[in-house]
Amino acid sequence: MAKRNNENLSISDVLKEFVETNKLERGLDKVNVRDAWTKLMGNGVNNYTTAISLERDTLYVQLSSSVLREELSYGKSKIITMLNEELGKDLVQKIILR
C-alpha cells in the first residue's frame, strides 16, 4: 500500500508524479502528437490524414492524397519544428509520410 503524504500538493504535481512512477509518459506523448498534428495542420490536411503514429522519435503520417504528400514533404523540417514547439519538447526528429 502506498505511503500517505500529509503535505498539500497541487493536482498537477500529483498527476506528474503518477505519470512518472507508472511510466505512462510515452503513451501520453503519442496522444499529444496526434492532437498537435490535428491542431497545427488544419482541416485541409486532416481530411486526407488517415493514420498518425509515433515510434521512438519518428512520426509516421499516412495520407490518402499523393499530391498532398508531395507538398508536405517539402516542408518537413518546418513541420517538425512546429510540432516540437507545440509539444514543448524535442519529441519528433523525423517525419515519414506514407
Side-chain angles (χ1 to χ4, degrees):
M1 181 144 189
K3 182 179 164 185
R4 186 173 182 133
N5 199 351
N6 288 332
E7 58 189 71
N8 294 330
L9 298 172
S10 68
I11 291 179
S12 64
D13 293 337
V14 172
L15 286 175
K16 285 179 188 175
E17 184 179 331
F18 179 78
V19 167
E20 289 172 4
T21 56
N22 292 314
K23 297 182 175 90
L24 301 174
E25 199 165 332
R26 196 70 190 145
L28 289 174
D29 287 342
K30 290 179 180 185
V31 173
N32 291 337
V33 165
R34 285 189 200 122
D35 292 342
W37 176 270
T38 56
K39 180 181 176 185
L40 291 173
M41 292 315 209
N43 287 336
V45 176
N46 289 327
N47 289 338
Y48 295 103
T49 303
T50 56
I52 302 168
S53 64
L54 180 68
E55 302 294 327
R56 295 192 183 108
D57 62 349
T58 304
L59 181 66
Y60 295 94
V61 180
Q62 190 166 359
L63 300 167
S64 61
S65 170
S66 61
V67 176
L68 180 62
R69 185 180 317 118
E70 189 66 27
E71 287 291 321
L72 290 178
S73 69
Y74 294 127
K76 281 184 180 179
S77 61
K78 185 176 179 182
I79 294 170
I80 291 170
T81 305
M82 289 175 14
L83 285 171
N84 286 332
E85 284 178 7
E86 181 70 26
L87 295 168
K89 55 185 169 181
D90 286 337
L91 193 63
V92 179
Q93 301 297 323
K94 192 164 104 175
I95 293 181
I96 296 181
L97 302 170
R98 298 180 181 169

